[in-house]
Amino acid sequence: MPSLLEALERKYGGGANTGPPIDDMPVAIFVPKRSPRLSVPTLLVLNDCDIDRAGDAAVLADKCADVVELDLANNRLTDWQEVFAILEQTPRVRFLNLSFNRLSAQIQAAQALQPRWDSLSNLVLNSTYVGWPTVHDLLKALPALEELHLSLNEYSYVNLTAGDTDVEDRCEACSRLVGADTVEPVHEQLTKLHFSGNPISSWREISKLGYAFPHLESLLVNDCPITSLEPDPCEKCGHDNGNWKSHEAFPYLRFLNLNNTGLATWDEVDRLARFPALRSLRVQVRKIHPF
């Protein structure tokens, strides 16, 4: 399987152009060849190239020094160390799409991350099956991140604390974390979150995203089986959700997409009216029940 560098050279060329010898041509006109760096666009798309690693660091850095958007969806990246190597050689990247790469492996302790990629503002991790501990570590390493995509990752709960979660820490009936309702702010800059297509049914779990990202302005949770915004107690684990309100975690939320969820009563619509900053709402349901 090719490296990013090899895929790049296949698409844009890495060597000099070949042609007939100048001596055999009746007229020779010298045209300076563009350098390999200038031949690489600032918006670089390398989808479906079977890329599984970064490649030679020095050459990659020279070719990609001006890249600001990098789309690597549908490749074969599995090792976060290779992803970090790519980021090290693309210092100006603001947008990175890693969707449909199998990145479920956890970041190793030896790869402890500090804030280091302060240009990256948009990260797409749809259908990568990235675990919550890795998401937490990435957020700490991306201080300028404004938009995050975590759709289609099979999340049935939210855990943005620093530690990992064992299966026995979750209730079998409601999938919530036992004794892990309080979430401290994790990232102050993030304003847009795409969380669609995950099998989360409890709004309390969604609320954890609001507490983790206190300045969230846009949230997409369409195609999630959410049936209610009210407290949903669980008889099995005794979780009663206290007296919390559905809007309390989202003081700055302006856009909310709840299409194709399980909301089906006017009471739920009334609860949506209590979000203090909400200006745009998408709710498409099959039928609204009167009671």
Side-chain angles (χ1 to χ4, degrees), residues 201-250:
S201 58
S202 170
W203 186 258
R204 183 56 175 170
E205 293 298 305
I206 299 298
S207 293
K208 293 179 183 179
L209 299 171
Y211 292 121
F213 311 122
H215 292 96
L216 200 63
E217 297 178 2
S218 177
L219 176 62
L220 287 79
V221 287
N222 46 296
D223 297 304
C224 295
I226 300 166
T227 57
S228 177
L229 304 181
E230 67 178 344
D232 48 344
C234 175
E235 295 181 1
K236 184 175 181 61
C237 65
H239 197 296
D240 61 3
N241 279 327
N243 296 316
W244 68 276
K245 304 298 182 183
S246 56
H247 59 274
E248 290 178 344
F250 302 98

Side-chain angles (χ1 to χ4, degrees), residues 91-104:
R92 297 184 62 189
V93 163
R94 299 195 299 266
F95 171 92
L96 176 62
N97 185 4
L98 296 170
S99 296
F100 301 100
N101 288 272
R102 191 76 179 199
L103 291 166
S104 56

Side-chain angles (χ1 to χ4, degrees), residues 79-85 87 96 98 103-108 111-118 120-126 128-150 153 155 159-162 186-187 190 213:
D79 189 343
W80 279 104
Q81 190 60 36
E82 295 298 328
V83 175
F84 302 150
L87 286 173
L96 176 62
L98 296 170
L103 291 166
S104 56
Q106 189 169 335
I107 297 174
Q108 301 301 313
Q111 303 169 3
L113 302 176
Q114 299 296 327
R116 54 197 298 189
W117 296 297
D118 54 7
L120 190 64
S121 60
N122 191 319
L123 179 60
V124 186
L125 297 172
N126 295 334
T128 56
Y129 302 97
V130 57
W132 284 118
T134 297
V135 173
H136 182 273
D137 289 344
L138 289 172
L139 289 168
K140 294 300 183 182
L142 303 172
L145 195 66
E146 297 177 358
E147 183 168 346
L148 178 62
H149 296 240
L150 292 174
N153 280 319
Y155 295 134
N159 179 24
L160 280 167
T161 58
V186 177
H187 202 292
L190 197 78
F213 311 122

Side-chain angles (χ1 to χ4, degrees), residues 6-282:
E6 291 167 343
L8 185 64
E9 291 180 339
R10 288 178 185 178
K11 186 170 184 177
Y12 297 102
N17 294 328
T18 59
I22 292 179
D23 292 341
D24 296 337
M25 298 175 65
V27 178
I29 301 176
F30 175 73
V31 179
K33 181 179 179 295
R34 296 181 71 194
S35 69
R37 175 187 295 182
L38 294 177
S39 68
V40 176
T42 57
L43 196 167
L44 181 57
V45 179
L46 291 170
N47 293 343
D48 296 296
C49 294
D50 291 328
I51 295 167
D52 66 344
R53 62 192 186 282
D56 185 274
V59 180
L60 188 62
D62 182 65
K63 288 180 176 289
C64 297
D66 296 324
V67 173
V68 296
E69 295 189 23
L70 180 56
D71 190 341
L72 297 176
N74 288 292
N75 280 291
R76 297 183 181 273
L77 292 165
T78 60
D79 189 343
W80 279 104
Q81 190 60 36
E82 295 298 328
V83 175
F84 302 150
I86 291 170
L87 286 173
E88 291 290 351
Q89 311 314 322
T90 53
R92 297 184 62 189
V93 163
R94 299 195 299 266
F95 171 92
L96 176 62
N97 185 4
L98 296 170
S99 296
F100 301 100
N101 288 272
R102 191 76 179 199
L103 291 166
S104 56
Q106 189 169 335
I107 297 174
Q108 301 301 313
Q111 303 169 3
L113 302 176
Q114 299 296 327
R116 54 197 298 189
W117 296 297
D118 54 7
S119 64
L120 190 64
S121 60
N122 191 319
L123 179 60
V124 186
L125 297 172
N126 295 334
S127 197
T128 56
Y129 302 97
V130 57
W132 284 118
T134 297
V135 173
H136 182 273
D137 289 344
L138 289 172
L139 289 168
K140 294 300 183 182
L142 303 172
L145 195 66
E146 297 177 358
E147 183 168 346
L148 178 62
H149 296 240
L150 292 174
S151 299
L152 302 172
N153 280 319
E154 296 295 327
Y155 295 134
S156 60
Y157 66 94
V158 173
N159 179 24
L160 280 167
T161 58
D164 200 354
T165 303
D166 296 327
V167 175
E168 55 266 23
D169 293 332
R170 291 189 285 125
C171 174
E172 295 178 359
C174 66
S175 296
R176 285 175 291 203
L177 299 179
V178 178
D181 282 327
T182 303
V183 178
E184 298 296 328
V186 177
H187 202 292
E188 300 281 349
Q189 294 296 113
L190 197 78
T191 60
K192 298 180 180 179
L193 179 63
H194 296 247
F195 202 73
S196 303
N198 287 302
I200 285 185
S201 58
S202 170
W203 186 258
R204 183 56 175 170
E205 293 298 305
I206 299 298
S207 293
K208 293 179 183 179
L209 299 171
Y211 292 121
F213 311 122
H215 292 96
L216 200 63
E217 297 178 2
S218 177
L219 176 62
L220 287 79
V221 287
N222 46 296
D223 297 304
C224 295
I226 300 166
T227 57
S228 177
L229 304 181
E230 67 178 344
D232 48 344
C234 175
E235 295 181 1
K236 184 175 181 61
C237 65
H239 197 296
D240 61 3
N241 279 327
N243 296 316
W244 68 276
K245 304 298 182 183
S246 56
H247 59 274
E248 290 178 344
F250 302 98
Y252 300 104
L253 193 67
R254 298 174 60 86
F255 173 80
L256 177 61
N257 188 332
L258 286 167
N259 281 346
N260 298 318
T261 59
L263 302 180
T265 69
W266 287 111
D267 286 341
E268 304 304 331
V269 177
D270 289 341
R271 290 187 180 92
L272 291 170
R274 300 170 190 169
F275 285 68
L278 196 62
R279 296 294 178 270
S280 180
L281 173 66
R282 294 181 182 178

